[in-house]
Amino acid sequence: MVRRGGDFDRWDLEVRGGLLGGVRMLLAVEDHGPRMQLVRVRSWPTFSPVGLVLLLCLLLLGATGELHHARLAGAVFGLLTLGLGLRKLQEAGYSMAAVLSTVKRQAGE
């Protein structure tokens, strides 16, 4: 899903890779004579605030389980935290790959 930035946003386009992660882009276009343009693209990963809160909650539950010597609960919550963190990175990576492949394909034309 692609979303356009507003008038006061510091980004132009946002590509969502899922509910947890995506990529935001800033674009600049310069005209260099007839039929020649230079397009500059800057992109960076973004993460959902809800996903970050969920990640923090799982991390705190895992740490609390370890502090209270509930090793199994700490391990389960630790694995859930790791899985959620990896999923966030995977979704941001999918979005970045989509952006890079589109930019490369458009640059070849």
Side-chain angles (χ1 to χ4, degrees):
M1 180 171 88
V2 178
R3 189 176 83 164
R4 177 174 65 91
D7 291 336
F8 300 104
D9 290 329
R10 294 181 179 258
W11 48 275
D12 294 324
L13 291 175
E14 180 179 34
V15 178
R16 301 295 300 173
L19 294 174
L20 302 173
V23 171
R24 288 188 177 165
M25 299 184 318
L26 185 62
L27 304 165
V29 179
E30 298 176 7
D31 286 324
H32 290 277
R35 301 183 64 190
M36 290 283 276
Q37 290 181 332
L38 174 65
V39 179
R40 296 177 188 262
V41 178
R42 180 175 182 249
S43 60
W44 60 93
T46 61
F47 300 103
S48 163
V50 174
L52 290 174
V53 168
L54 183 60
L55 190 70
L56 181 63
C57 289
L58 288 174
L59 185 65
L60 288 175
L61 286 172
T64 302
E66 286 294 322
L67 287 175
H68 292 285
H69 303 291
R71 303 275 184 224
L72 181 61
V76 167
F77 283 118
L79 287 174
L80 286 172
T81 303
L82 180 66
L84 183 66
L86 290 175
R87 181 64 186 184
K88 290 170 76 62
L89 290 175
Q90 183 183 32
E91 288 182 5
Y94 286 155
S95 300
M96 187 66 77
V99 166
L100 289 177
S101 68
T102 302
V103 168
K104 285 180 182 178
R105 185 174 54 238
Q106 294 298 322
E109 293 180 356

